[in-house]
């Protein structure tokens, strides 16, 4: 059976449909779901022009790319033409990108067409898309609940079939957790898989560029195009992403038992156990393993990531670009007021924590200590991967929570990241796989984690399982 993306590309190339048709359909669908507040802008004019160019090339018998005529959405922290790049902040409310992100260029070179930009927590700081300066995004399955975050908008447009794929960024869970909350696939690739160039930086040592789609196969196809070395991002790896690899039978899978303990929602535990049964039925061997250091990962993350944020966000001073406060009398006042007005509370909280842990008096006690612990975490993963091919945990401790439920309690909000943060600190690939539903009908996902550069194999494993039993949806 052909995947959603393959079907579109095949039909566009055979002129059974047109790229214009696909774009018009996606734009119309986007207009029908405005109450979810998943999109911050549409890039309709540019998208339709690009669609016509592709249709013309096909009519002339010219070759078109692997994603010819496929509409997609980018999270609004990717620099892209056709609408401002806001990072869902007042700081960048009117920022028109002077260039496009490398991965957007790569997708466009294969004929994909960006139709709009999705909502996020401002500067990607958050796990619910409630921190957007422009308002909250609603969950695709239950509008009274959060979309997850920070890439909430991209998850929702994928779940509601506006587009067959959407881009997100994942620093500590921002693709996997909203994928889990909305019942779609989402990948945080191996650190360095796809270029970060032209994407608003959050925490440079864990920022990754990934995507959402309705099948593992489509995620793999899109990632194989995004992947590869970029001279403008020196952390990128040479292209290793082979979307045609398939997972061997009889894999050894370790389930991290600390991630199924008492604090985890009962439905999440039972859906994870059912997924384990499906893995066993498919002939894989599944063993419970312990990884005691994992309980400190959240503490490491919320020291290291704010430190990097405070440094990356220093560039927004109201001078070169971004919001500038009016009538400031001194330079210090200009900096202070521009930043105070341009950032949301959560941005400021992280800048303050980050500056604190990097300050000379506390650097050794917090930042250095967290980096040492991070090395131990990486070693613990390495030891497990000597014995297991993959590791499994739920993606999040609960299904989507209610809008407002955690909004005023940052620590409660951070706890929602407990399962997604550990692979981020270790740079490992991890995929959210829709695995089932809670008793009240909310999607629940499991997270499959693999050794570095096993991204395509993880996706294959998940895809095979969906084909065996037809998946859960
Ligand atoms: N929720 C996590 C945080 O707030 C992850 C964010 C992200 O991956 N961008 O840091």
């Amino acid at each position: 059976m052909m995947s959603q993306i393959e079907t579109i590309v095949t039909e566009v190339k055979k002129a059974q449909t047109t790229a214009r048709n696909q774009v018009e359909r996606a734009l119309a669908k986007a207009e029908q779901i405005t109450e979810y507040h998943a999109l911050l802008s549409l890039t309709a004019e540019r998208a339709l022009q690009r669609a016509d160019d592709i249709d013309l090339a096909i009519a002339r018998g010219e070759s078109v790319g692997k994603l010819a005529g496929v509409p997609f959405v980018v999270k609004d922290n990717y620099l892209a033409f056709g609408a401002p790049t806001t990072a869902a902040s007042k700081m960048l409310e009117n920022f028109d990108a002077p260039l496009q992100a490398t991965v957007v260029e790569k997708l466009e070179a294969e004929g994909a067409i960006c139709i709009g930009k999705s909502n996020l927590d401002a500067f990607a700081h958050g796990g619910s898309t409630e921190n957007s300066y422009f308002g909250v995004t609603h969950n695709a399955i239950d509008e009274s609940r959060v979309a997850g975050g920070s890439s909430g908008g991209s998850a929702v447009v994928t779940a509601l079939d506006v587009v067959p794929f959407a881009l997100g960024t994942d620093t500590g869970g921002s693709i996997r957790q909203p994928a889990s909350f909305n019942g779609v696939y989402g990948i945080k690739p191996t650190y360095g898989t796809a270029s970060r160039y032209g994407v608003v930086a959050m925490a440079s040592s864990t920022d990754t560029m990934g995507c959402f789609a309705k099948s593992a196969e489509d995620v793999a196809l899109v990632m194989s195009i995004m992947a590869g070395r970029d001279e403008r991002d020196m952390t990128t790896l040479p292209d290793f992403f082979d979307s045609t690899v398939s997972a061997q039978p009889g894999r050894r899978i370790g389930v991290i038992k600390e991630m199924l303990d008492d604090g985890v929602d009962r439905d999440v535990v039972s859906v994870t156990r059912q997924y384990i049964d499906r893995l066993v039925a498919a002939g894989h061997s599944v063993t419970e393993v312990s990884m005691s250091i994992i309980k400190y990962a959240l503490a490491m993350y919320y020291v290291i990531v704010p430190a990097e944020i405070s440094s990356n966000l220093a560039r927004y001073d109201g001078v070169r670009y971004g919001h500038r406060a009016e009538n400031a009398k001194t330079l210090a006042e200009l900096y202070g007021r521009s930043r105070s007005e341009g950032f949301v509370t959560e941005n400021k909280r992280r800048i303050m924590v980050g500056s604190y842990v990097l300050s000379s008096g506390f650097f050794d006690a917090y930042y250095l200590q967290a980096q040492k612990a991070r090395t131990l975490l990486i070693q613990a993963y390495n030891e497990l991967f000597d014995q297991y091919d993959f590791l499994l945990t739920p993606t999040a401790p609960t299904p989507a929570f209610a809008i407002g439920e955690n909004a005023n309690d940052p620590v409660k909000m951070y706890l929602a990241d407990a399962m997604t943060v550990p692979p981020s600190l270790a740079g490992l690939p991890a995929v959210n796989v829709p695995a089932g539903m809670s008793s009240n009908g909310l999607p629940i996902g499991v997270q499959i984690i693999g050794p570095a550069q096993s991204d395509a194999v993880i996706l294959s494993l998940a895809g095979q399982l969906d084909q065996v039993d037809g998946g859960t949806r």
Side-chain angles (χ1 to χ4, degrees):
M1 222 182 70
M2 269 199 285
S3 75
Q4 226 179 338
I5 294 181
E6 281 171 334
T7 307
I8 296 175
V9 175
T10 309
E11 289 179 1
V12 167
K13 285 185 178 170
K14 287 189 189 152
Q16 288 166 343
T17 179
T18 58
R20 173 171 266 270
N21 231 306
Q22 293 301 318
V23 168
E24 281 175 346
R25 198 207 67 87
L27 290 169
K29 185 81 203 191
E31 298 288 359
Q32 285 164 21
I33 61 137
T34 48
E35 82 255 26
Y36 291 88
H37 200 242
L39 288 157
L40 293 179
S41 56
L42 292 175
T43 50
E45 199 184 315
R46 186 168 181 278
L48 289 166
Q49 182 59 53
R50 282 186 36 79
D52 288 344
D53 292 347
I54 289 167
D55 288 329
L56 191 65
I58 291 169
R60 286 185 180 142
E62 292 164 16
S63 73
V64 286
K66 288 182 207 155
L67 296 176
V70 180
F72 72 104
V73 159
V74 297
K75 184 179 182 178
D76 204 17
N77 55 353
Y78 280 82
L79 273 62
F81 297 148
T85 298
T86 69
S89 68
K90 180 179 170 74
M91 183 61 89
L92 293 176
E93 187 172 8
N94 301 312
F95 178 64
D96 279 316
L99 51 88
Q100 296 206 107
T102 297
V103 295
V104 174
E105 290 283 333
K106 282 182 139 183
L107 292 165
E108 288 197 347
E110 292 293 345
I113 302 168
C114 175
I115 63 124
K117 310 199 73 194
S118 62
N119 200 11
L120 62 147
D121 289 297
F123 288 98
H125 303 173
S128 67
T129 315
E130 292 172 290
N131 294 334
S132 167
Y133 174 67
F134 303 110
V136 181
T137 296
H138 297 255
N139 185 282
I141 286 80
D142 178 346
E143 284 186 60
S144 71
R145 293 180 183 265
V146 298
S150 63
S151 316
S154 281
V156 169
V157 293
T158 307
L160 294 178
D161 292 312
V162 175
V163 281
F165 78 93
L167 302 193
T169 58
D170 191 317
T171 300
S174 278
I175 291 176
R176 290 161 285 161
Q177 185 252 32
S180 154
F181 282 9
N182 293 282
V184 296
Y185 280 87
I187 187 172
K188 178 212 104 66
T190 301
Y191 180 75
T193 301
S195 174
R196 293 180 285 119
Y197 184 76
V199 184
V200 177
M202 178 175 165
S204 306
S205 81
T206 64
D207 283 351
T208 60
M209 308 300 127
C211 69
F212 298 87
K214 282 263 173 102
S215 66
E217 210 178 337
D218 278 346
V219 170
L221 174 59
V222 172
M223 286 310 303
S224 71
I225 291 161
M226 287 166 67
R229 176 85 185 147
D230 179 5
E231 290 306 319
R232 292 167 298 184
D233 174 359
M234 296 312 278
T235 61
T236 45
L237 298 164
D239 189 3
F240 64 84
F241 211 105
D242 176 5
S243 60
T244 64
V245 298
S246 63
Q248 300 298 309
R251 298 294 79 195
R252 298 161 304 171
I253 297 157
V255 179
I256 303 179
K257 75 166 187 255
E258 285 80 0
M259 300 282 99
L260 285 174
D261 69 11
D262 298 344
V264 182
D265 177 272
R266 275 174 45 199
D267 288 345
V268 170
V269 173
S270 79
V271 167
T272 307
R273 300 237 177 259
Q274 285 159 24
Y275 195 79
I276 292 170
D277 292 343
R278 289 163 60 194
L279 284 165
V280 172
H284 302 292
S285 77
V286 183
T287 317
E288 282 214 359
V289 301
S290 173
M291 191 182 177
S292 52
I293 194 171
I294 204 163
K295 52 182 177 290
Y296 302 112
L298 207 58
M300 301 171 205
Y301 178 89
Y302 276 102
V303 171
I304 295 167
V305 165
E308 294 184 26
I309 287 172
S310 71
S311 155
N312 273 328
L313 264 47
R315 72 190 67 175
Y316 301 102
D317 56 9
V319 175
R320 277 195 301 169
Y321 46 74
H323 173 73
R324 179 181 297 178
E326 277 172 32
N327 304 323
K329 294 196 182 58
T330 62
L331 191 60
E333 190 187 339
L334 174 78
Y335 289 161
R337 285 204 5 239
S338 299
R339 290 167 66 76
S340 170
E341 291 163 14
F343 290 130
V344 301
T345 303
E346 184 61 24
N347 304 144
K348 294 174 196 171
R349 179 178 294 125
R350 294 186 188 213
I351 291 168
M352 287 175 68
V353 170
S355 309
Y356 181 83
V357 299
L358 289 175
S359 62
S360 61
F362 300 100
F363 181 89
D364 287 0
Y366 293 103
Y367 185 74
L368 197 63
Q369 205 59 17
Q371 290 291 19
K372 287 180 180 169
R374 182 184 194 172
T375 302
L376 295 176
L377 179 80
I378 294 169
Q379 279 169 6
Y381 273 118
N382 288 343
E383 281 163 23
L384 285 173
F385 284 126
D386 285 342
Q387 291 177 61
Y388 300 96
D389 300 301
F390 305 106
L391 297 171
L392 184 92
T393 71
T395 303
T398 64
F401 42 89
I403 290 173
E405 190 178 328
N406 293 347
N408 298 319
D409 187 344
V411 173
K412 231 171 130 197
M413 190 69 97
Y414 298 167
L415 284 171
D417 303 328
M419 294 164 171
T420 45
V421 150
S424 294
L425 289 170
L428 300 171
V431 174
N432 175 67
V433 182
M437 293 285 178
S438 68
S439 45
N440 55 347
L442 299 170
I444 291 173
V446 296
Q447 174 177 234
I448 308 180
I449 306 152
Q453 305 191 28
S454 67
D455 310 44
V457 192
I458 303 177
L459 289 166
S460 158
L461 179 83
Q464 284 170 1
L465 215 57
D466 264 2
Q467 279 176 8
V468 174
D469 55 20
T472 48
R473 285 171 313 116

